[in-house]
Amino acid sequence: MSRYKILTVPNLMSFFRILLVPVFAVTFLEKVPLWPVVILLLSGVTDLFDGMIARKFNQVSDLGKMLDPAADKLTQIAVVSCLTTVYFQPMLVLLVVYIVKELTMLAGGLVMLRRKKIVPAARWFGKIATFEFYFAMALFLVFPRFLLAHPGYIAVIIAITIGLIVFSLLMYAVQFFKISEKA
């Protein structure tokens, strides 16, 4: 299959995830019961399977390599932004850390492309951070009253999430410098 192929199942799943972003935001902000949780779970499940399907059925494409992370980033920013309306200060801290991490990753990727180096694919540490992010955000969506009544739990969940985001950034930085050192 051509790596330039557009209409593949994994690419359609990534397009679908991008389309879910405004649906998530509207259902969350309009306080439609359970729908934001369902949408986040659906997005997470399609994220999990699109890469597996792409590899198993040889449907990996350059477009998919861009769409999948774009769908992840758009979803994650939308979720944290929406949750900031409920859990203002802790989510704002998480949002800032997340944006700094993503801008740093973008800058590193652009440097790699400029140097004609291969930008590495997602690694286990990035996948763990993403999985924990989705899990943590689902907790905030499913148990808002409980968490608002127990701010200590909010702090722990946010600290773990930020810790894994920073850990993945540091691990990617190590990868960046290893690749940069190669001639």
Side-chain angles (χ1 to χ4, degrees), residues 55-69:
R55 288 183 293 279
K56 182 168 178 80
F57 295 102
N58 194 26
Q59 293 184 347
V60 174
S61 67
D62 289 340
L63 178 62
K65 290 178 187 176
M66 291 184 294
L67 277 179
D68 181 58

Side-chain angles (χ1 to χ4, degrees), residues 124-125 162-172:
W124 65 267
F125 39 85
I162 288 173
L164 285 171
I165 288 171
V166 170
F167 172 73
S168 71
L169 176 60
L170 293 174
M171 295 296 289
Y172 280 119

Side-chain angles (χ1 to χ4, degrees), residues 1 14 19 27 32 48 51 59 61 119 125 137 151 154 182:
M1 178 168 290
S14 293
L19 293 175
T27 59
V32 180
L48 177 69
Q59 293 184 347
S61 67
V119 178
F125 39 85
M137 297 307 106
I154 294 172
K182 292 180 182 176

